Amino acid sequence: MSMKIGILGYGNLGRGVECAVKQNPDMELKAVFTRRPPKSISLLTKGVGVHSVEEAKNWKEEIDVMILCGGSATDLPEQTKELVKYFHVVDSFDTHAAIPEHFEKVDKAAKEGGKIGIISCGWDPGMFSLNRLYAETILPTGKEYTFWGKGVSQGHSDAIRRIEGVKDARQYTIPVEEALNSVRNGENKELTPRQKHIRECYVVLHENGDREKIEKEIVTMPNYFADYDTKVHFISEEELKRDHMGIPHGGFVIRSGKTGWEEENSHIIEYSLKLDSNPEFTSSVLAAYARAAYRLAKEGQKGCKTVFDIPPAYLSPKTGEELRSCLL
Amino acid sequence: MSMKIGILGYGNLGRGVECAVKQNPDMELKAVFTRRPPKSISLLTKGVGVHSVEEAKNWKEEIDVMILCGGSATDLPEQTKELVKYFHVVDSFDTHAAIPEHFEKVDKAAKEGGKIGIISCGWDPGMFSLNRLYAETILPTGKEYTFWGKGVSQGHSDAIRRIEGVKDARQYTIPVEEALNSVRNGENKELTPRQKHIRECYVVLHENGDREKIEKEIVTMPNYFADYDTKVHFISEEELKRDHMGIPHGGFVIRSGKTGWEEENSHIIEYSLKLDSNPEFTSSVLAAYARAAYRLAKEGQKGCKTVFDIPPAYLSPKTGEELRSCLL
């Protein structure tokens, strides 16, 4: 009685889900759906077919949970609300500001179709959100800080790549050690973007790229770099390929709070991630929440859910008895 | 429409709950129940009465959630299953090995009475358990480590106090830095008790206490100290009162896991607590789960629950919309 999993979208995230399914003995990969020519894709898993996204809905009897592995900019806003008409779905929608709107649309479609749609499963939104929530409810008198990195920011790397004369680029977001320590010491300062994060850029130029002009364009770019201390390193394409092809990431959620009648006692709750592969970790979160979707569906629940709505036990293959005796 | 909270047991934990209720505007302290003469107790909160535990059940219409603040050794095994007949209750039962039995008894009584009983809410069991569960389900291929400290262990302090010639004592459990770093580096070693924790003891002798004999008795004490590197410091009663009256604690839950088709990528999930007051933090967790009990009860749910069974959103006074737009 293993869960039959479908994957829609076979980039880094989709491949990560494929690997995660392999690590979960109660799951079975049933099919992968893509917008590319299906024959152009070869899976890691033997004996599983690749099909066109247009065919997906014909598989609705075959698949228990469809994991949506598209991007948040254009794919998921369309796909999740459409696919949840036919499948229980899980996505990693991560445009924070647009989550309420995405939720409403998915909720409406899911309720009409009698399905479960779990959105925004990953690490931020996702595990970081959960930790913000738990920490804030336990220590209501306090202050919360989220730091990201050290890790590759795709959006910031893309912004550099769009500059004329740039051939390729990788941007690392790095938390400032002094800021982290100040928070851990319970100093509860207001911290500016510049005080919290450094932005480090590795840039490969086109032959005629103007080093000085490009560096200035990067460090003064509004929203992306102007509010930060930004370091720019020009490197060769070989160096980029040799040293910067990984997709590491991570970060810290820290809450500093007070208890006691006169708020005389201080407490620090810290959650941190150090990830070799940002997409594979997100994929692993998606797989765990696919199990939750399956369980909720078995109970006859429907509608849109987030990590806030899911009892933690639903993520685990263990029974309640096992969890209480092994993990509690 | 604030929740009316009762506190049963007014030691460190009960006083901590009283302080936590003050920090949660949607809660109101209704009454405190004690086994001591009620008149011997004066609360921090004005206008709230102290009553004998025997009277508690007469308050069942007055109180929405009763928070049980007794000890796990003898109080809670009797109190939780008895009180849950009349009230929705929350406790911090922390004898890990006895949790399954406690759960069964509370579940039976709670279902008969149509009440909710949330057990084992604190940090371990509690927040540490949650983090073990989330981390294990996300990274099923991996290894998990729990470290405690630096903090005062009540059980170990008591064990020293029982030695002849000892007037008072305080025992600190301290995680070994090298072990923490090895885990954070993903080395996934098997670690013995000695490799994970140091035990540091501050001991006040009676006038005729034999220093050498007592030190030997401590460091060779089976279960408590024999398996650890134990340091014993003899200090004066004044020094103990000056430097060791706090009840700090904390610790780390770290999971090191692998993802990828060939398990080629490593990830570290780390959760840590640094607490000035162990009982006040536990009290703050109890208060948050009292809110969850109140909500579950409003839905007509009943029976025994643990932190594993509670959707995180139920801990928060915020609405689903607020949570999605502020914290997700």
Side-chain angles (χ1 to χ4, degrees):
Chain A
M1 46 160 276
S2 64
M3 273 164 271
K4 290 168 187 65
I5 302 289
I7 293 174
L8 196 140
Y10 194 69
N12 284 334
L13 209 54
R15 257 191 311 277
V17 170
E18 183 181 19
C19 297
V21 166
K22 185 189 177 196
Q23 290 186 327
N24 285 287
D26 60 341
M27 298 182 185
E28 179 195 336
L29 182 61
K30 195 70 188 175
V32 171
F33 302 90
T34 178
R35 281 180 306 202
R36 288 178 277 167
K39 285 192 175 155
S40 71
I41 287 172
S42 66
L43 303 185
L44 299 164
T45 314
K46 283 184 187 152
V48 174
V50 182
H51 311 275
S52 159
V53 284
E54 277 77 41
E55 287 177 51
K57 61 185 74 165
N58 304 328
W59 286 73
K60 65 181 179 160
E61 305 300 329
E62 252 67 42
I63 285 169
D64 292 314
V65 182
M66 184 74 92
I67 302 182
L68 305 180
C69 298
S72 295
T74 56
D75 300 333
L76 298 176
E78 297 305 317
Q79 288 174 349
T80 311
K81 69 180 187 327
E82 180 61 22
L83 272 297
V84 79
K85 294 176 186 169
Y86 309 98
F87 300 96
H88 306 299
V89 303
V90 184
D91 82 17
S92 63
F93 185 76
D94 67 359
T95 311
H96 289 265
I99 287 173
E101 186 191 342
H102 189 59
F103 181 91
E104 292 306 329
K105 287 180 179 168
V106 175
D107 192 49
K108 185 166 178 286
K111 280 178 177 156
E112 283 170 13
K115 302 291 182 190
I116 288 282
I118 308 182
I119 62 163
S120 302
C121 300
W123 58 276
D124 196 359
M127 301 315 295
F128 273 19
S129 323
L130 275 176
N131 277 280
R132 286 188 282 262
L133 172 58
Y134 279 119
E136 167 182 294
T137 56
I138 294 168
L139 297 176
T141 303
K143 203 161 156 47
E144 174 260 310
Y145 299 82
T146 300
F147 291 86
W148 296 274
K150 181 182 177 174
V152 174
S153 163
Q154 217 53 59
H156 286 76
S157 301
D158 288 344
I160 301 172
R161 283 190 208 103
R162 283 191 294 264
I163 295 173
E164 203 189 315
V166 170
K167 191 170 183 188
D168 205 349
R170 211 65 91 244
Q171 194 268 182
Y172 294 92
T173 303
I174 305 171
V176 175
E177 202 63 38
E178 297 83 61
L180 272 173
N181 289 335
S182 159
V183 170
R184 286 178 182 140
N185 290 334
E187 294 170 16
N188 283 9
K189 288 183 192 161
E190 287 295 332
L191 295 170
T192 63
R194 191 181 302 276
Q195 288 172 318
K196 286 180 74 187
H197 294 98
I198 293 165
R199 300 203 173 275
E200 192 153 32
C201 315
Y202 293 86
V203 181
V204 179
L205 295 179
H206 278 297
E207 254 174 53
N208 54 356
D210 179 337
R211 198 178 267 243
E212 209 168 318
K213 185 163 164 280
I214 287 169
E215 175 159 358
K216 195 176 167 201
E217 197 165 338
I218 294 172
V219 302
T220 59
M221 194 186 294
N223 302 320
Y224 284 90
F225 294 102
D227 297 335
Y228 300 87
D229 287 337
T230 302
K231 292 179 200 165
V232 181
H233 308 277
F234 293 99
I235 59 173
S236 68
E237 194 160 15
E238 292 67 39
E239 287 172 311
L240 189 89
K241 288 214 189 319
R242 188 190 66 201
D243 303 332
H244 302 283
M245 292 312 282
I247 325 176
H249 220 313
F252 304 81
V253 174
I254 310 178
R255 187 167 184 93
S256 157
K258 303 278 186 188
T259 65
W261 196 250
E262 305 287 351
E263 299 178 1
E264 62 272 27
N265 288 312
S266 295
H267 307 274
I268 303 287
I269 305 176
E270 176 168 342
Y271 179 80
S272 71
L273 295 173
K274 200 176 139 205
L275 313 175
D276 268 2
S277 166
N278 183 353
E280 282 183 11
F281 188 82
T282 299
S283 301
S284 298
V285 176
L286 282 166
Y289 278 94
R291 182 180 291 115
Y294 181 74
R295 296 247 184 110
L296 290 167
K298 288 258 173 212
E299 290 179 0
Q301 295 206 42
K302 56 192 178 178
C304 189
K305 309 274 179 190
T306 76
V307 295
F308 295 154
D309 307 307
I310 316 278
Y314 281 55
L315 305 182
S316 174
K318 292 181 175 158
T319 65
E321 289 77 10
E322 287 169 330
L323 291 176
R324 287 189 291 275
S325 62
C326 307
L327 290 183
L328 196 61
Chain B
M1 47 160 276
S2 64
M3 273 164 272
K4 291 170 187 62
I5 302 289
I7 294 174
L8 196 139
Y10 195 69
N12 284 333
L13 209 53
R15 256 191 312 277
V17 170
E18 183 182 17
C19 297
V21 166
K22 185 189 177 196
Q23 290 187 326
N24 285 287
D26 60 340
M27 298 183 186
E28 179 195 336
L29 182 61
K30 195 70 187 174
V32 171
F33 302 91
T34 178
R35 282 180 305 201
R36 288 179 277 166
K39 286 193 175 155
S40 71
I41 287 172
S42 67
L43 303 185
L44 299 164
T45 314
K46 283 183 186 152
V48 173
V50 182
H51 310 275
S52 158
V53 286
E54 276 78 41
E55 288 176 51
K57 61 183 75 163
N58 304 330
W59 286 73
K60 64 182 179 161
E61 305 301 328
E62 251 69 42
I63 285 169
D64 292 315
V65 182
M66 184 75 92
I67 302 182
L68 306 179
C69 297
S72 295
T74 55
D75 301 333
L76 298 175
E78 297 305 318
Q79 289 173 349
T80 312
K81 68 180 179 15
E82 180 62 22
L83 272 298
V84 79
K85 294 177 186 168
Y86 309 98
F87 300 96
H88 306 299
V89 303
V90 184
D91 81 17
S92 63
F93 185 75
D94 67 359
T95 312
H96 290 264
I99 287 173
E101 186 191 340
H102 188 58
F103 180 92
E104 292 307 329
K105 288 181 179 166
V106 174
D107 192 49
K108 185 167 178 288
K111 280 177 177 156
E112 283 170 12
K115 302 291 181 190
I116 289 282
I118 308 182
I119 62 163
S120 302
C121 300
W123 58 276
D124 196 359
M127 300 315 295
F128 273 19
S129 323
L130 275 176
N131 277 279
R132 286 188 282 262
L133 172 58
Y134 279 118
E136 167 183 294
T137 56
I138 294 169
L139 297 175
T141 303
K143 203 161 155 51
E144 174 259 309
Y145 300 82
T146 300
F147 291 86
W148 296 274
K150 181 182 178 174
V152 174
S153 164
Q154 217 52 59
H156 287 76
S157 301
D158 289 344
I160 301 173
R161 284 189 208 104
R162 284 191 295 263
I163 296 173
E164 202 189 316
V166 170
K167 190 169 184 188
D168 204 348
R170 211 65 92 245
Q171 194 268 181
Y172 294 93
T173 303
I174 306 171
V176 175
E177 202 61 40
E178 297 83 60
L180 271 173
N181 289 335
S182 159
V183 170
R184 286 178 183 139
N185 290 334
E187 293 170 16
N188 283 10
K189 287 183 192 162
E190 288 295 332
L191 296 170
T192 63
R194 191 180 301 276
Q195 288 172 317
K196 286 180 74 187
H197 294 98
I198 293 165
R199 301 204 173 273
E200 192 152 33
C201 315
Y202 292 85
V203 181
V204 179
L205 294 179
H206 278 297
E207 254 174 54
N208 54 357
D210 180 336
R211 198 179 267 244
E212 209 168 318
K213 185 162 164 279
I214 287 169
E215 175 159 359
K216 196 176 166 202
E217 198 164 338
I218 294 171
V219 302
T220 59
M221 195 186 294
N223 303 319
Y224 285 91
F225 295 102
D227 298 335
Y228 300 87
D229 288 337
T230 302
K231 291 180 200 165
V232 181
H233 308 276
F234 292 99
I235 59 173
S236 69
E237 194 161 15
E238 292 67 40
E239 287 171 311
L240 189 89
K241 289 214 189 321
R242 189 189 65 203
D243 303 331
H244 302 284
M245 291 311 283
I247 326 175
H249 220 315
F252 304 80
V253 174
I254 310 179
R255 187 166 184 92
S256 157
K258 303 278 186 188
T259 66
W261 196 250
E262 305 288 352
E263 299 178 1
E264 62 272 27
N265 288 312
S266 295
H267 307 273
I268 303 288
I269 305 175
E270 176 167 343
Y271 179 80
S272 70
L273 295 174
K274 200 176 140 205
L275 313 175
D276 268 3
S277 166
N278 183 353
E280 282 183 10
F281 189 82
T282 299
S283 300
S284 299
V285 177
L286 282 166
Y289 277 94
R291 183 180 291 114
Y294 181 74
R295 296 247 184 111
L296 290 167
K298 288 258 172 212
E299 289 179 0
Q301 295 206 42
K302 55 191 179 179
C304 189
K305 309 275 179 188
T306 76
V307 294
F308 295 154
D309 307 307
I310 316 280
Y314 282 56
L315 304 182
S316 174
K318 291 182 175 156
T319 65
E321 290 77 9
E322 287 170 329
L323 291 176
R324 286 189 292 275
S325 62
C326 307
L327 290 183
L328 195 61

